[in-house]
Amino acid sequence: MHAHMYCNTKDTRQKTGGKLTSIEKYELNKNNSIPLYYQLEQMIKDMIDNEQLLPGQRAPSERELAETLGISRMTVRAAMSNLVADGYLFSVSGKGTFVASPKMHQNLLELNSFTEDMRKRGLKPGARLLEMDVSSEASSKVYWVLGLAEQEELIRIYRLRTADGEPMCLETSYLPRNLFPWLFEEDLESGSLYQALESRGIELARAEEQLEATVVRETESRLLTVPVGYPALLIERTTYTRGDKPIEYVKSLYRGDRYQFSVTLFSRKTKKSNRL
Ligand code: 16G
């Protein structure tokens, strides 16, 4: 049974002769101030969470939803297109709308490499090395963050990261060249940058990250295989060694439809008291 702000469950067993289909269990609340398209979005997200709709399964059609819930097709269309834009559904032209795979859930408290992160999920990590060069023209911020003078050389690594072959994010990493001259010999397509660093005795201790909402631009759209203007998350990371030396500055553009980030927050009082 569900109890939601947007819909009440309705027992239609009498009407359907004992069969209770998933949409028929729901009823949108037409008298409250929450727009119907929004209520419908929540309802479909809920059906996905409850596994009434499974990844790869066809979503109920526009007509079916409109008729069963007694709302206009325009309202259904608005909800469905928002769910597509947010990555919960995807449409295949001529075939219909389907439920997307769940978003990647990344815990912001762990310092993981992309490779580790994908392996933990049982996915095959991959990379396409788009560019790798020695750069002396990065923005002043990069030099400042890495504690370098502006004439010093940086190694710039631009990679498209994939999970089971599907593009996930675009990453541009900068590392001081004088510390890692051997990096050019590493295989950064099938291998891991962090593993390469660790195998040379460089222990990564912490990273500082900033997250920002953005949209996908043209070149990125081709590489990430999503339309221009698609929602994305821009993450800037500075990674520090055990000796607290900043050794990596990365800008990553994650597909907004495939990622979800989470963090656990503690109350300031938690440390002082263990009371419930
Ligand atoms: C993650 C890191 C990135 C690092 C990469 C190393 C974020 C936002 N970024 O993608 O800073 O360079 O892992 O991955 O988490 P690799 O060891 O698989 O090459």
Side-chain angles (χ1 to χ4, degrees), residues 181-200:
W182 45 266
L183 250 182
F184 283 93
E185 289 143 39
E186 294 293 327
D187 171 7
L188 295 177
E189 291 213 314
S190 53
S192 152
L193 170 65
Y194 281 8
Q195 242 166 40
L197 294 172
E198 274 160 26
S199 68
R200 304 256 177 170

Side-chain angles (χ1 to χ4, degrees), residues 106 108 110-119 125-127 157 159 161 169 171-175 187-197 204 207-211 234-239 248-254 259 261:
Q106 193 177 114
L108 289 174
E110 282 172 24
L111 174 57
N112 281 331
S113 72
F114 185 87
T115 303
E116 277 175 305
D117 203 22
M118 292 307 127
R119 286 206 179 121
I157 309 164
R159 288 184 295 174
R161 309 306 306 261
C169 70
E171 241 173 35
T172 314
S173 319
Y174 293 93
L175 299 102
D187 171 7
L188 295 177
E189 291 213 314
S190 53
S192 152
L193 170 65
Y194 281 8
Q195 242 166 40
L197 294 172
L204 303 175
E208 271 166 19
E209 278 190 8
Q210 270 113 42
L211 277 78
L234 181 67
I235 304 189
E236 285 180 55
R237 174 187 279 200
T238 311
T239 317
E248 180 201 41
Y249 173 78
V250 187
K251 260 187 157 178
S252 314
L253 187 74
Y254 281 81
Y259 263 87
F261 295 87

Side-chain angles (χ1 to χ4, degrees), residues 148-269:
L148 299 174
E150 296 213 3
Q151 61 277 15
E152 286 185 69
E153 287 178 332
L154 295 162
I155 299 179
R156 186 181 66 106
I157 309 164
Y158 182 39
R159 288 184 295 174
L160 173 71
R161 309 306 306 261
T162 58
D164 276 353
E166 188 190 4
M168 287 292 144
C169 70
L170 277 165
E171 241 173 35
T172 314
S173 319
Y174 293 93
L175 299 102
R177 188 193 188 188
N178 63 349
L179 294 180
F180 312 110
W182 45 266
L183 250 182
F184 283 93
E185 289 143 39
E186 294 293 327
D187 171 7
L188 295 177
E189 291 213 314
S190 53
S192 152
L193 170 65
Y194 281 8
Q195 242 166 40
L197 294 172
E198 274 160 26
S199 68
R200 304 256 177 170
I202 296 142
E203 281 191 83
L204 303 175
R206 68 178 181 100
E208 271 166 19
E209 278 190 8
Q210 270 113 42
L211 277 78
E212 196 179 320
T214 183
V215 291
V216 170
R217 282 158 244 276
E218 208 170 319
T219 326
E220 301 155 353
S221 123
R222 251 186 297 114
L223 294 163
L224 291 172
T225 64
V226 293
V228 172
Y230 219 61
L233 268 163
L234 181 67
I235 304 189
E236 285 180 55
R237 174 187 279 200
T238 311
T239 317
Y240 298 80
T241 59
R242 281 216 182 279
D244 224 25
K245 188 173 174 50
I247 51 121
E248 180 201 41
Y249 173 78
V250 187
K251 260 187 157 178
S252 314
L253 187 74
Y254 281 81
R255 279 172 58 169
D257 62 332
R258 300 294 285 116
Y259 263 87
Q260 191 173 56
F261 295 87
S262 70
V263 61
T264 309
L265 307 173
F266 293 96
S267 144
R268 275 193 224 167
K269 293 177 203 142

Side-chain angles (χ1 to χ4, degrees), residues 70-111:
I71 53 176
S72 77
R73 286 180 73 150
M74 224 170 76
T75 303
V76 176
R77 217 166 297 146
M80 300 300 262
S81 71
N82 285 349
L83 289 164
V84 169
D86 289 345
Y88 292 95
L89 302 177
F90 65 95
S91 29
V92 179
S93 69
K95 293 229 162 76
T97 309
F98 298 84
V99 180
S101 309
K103 295 192 182 200
M104 303 271 181
H105 200 80
Q106 193 177 114
N107 188 335
L108 289 174
L109 285 181
E110 282 172 24
L111 174 57

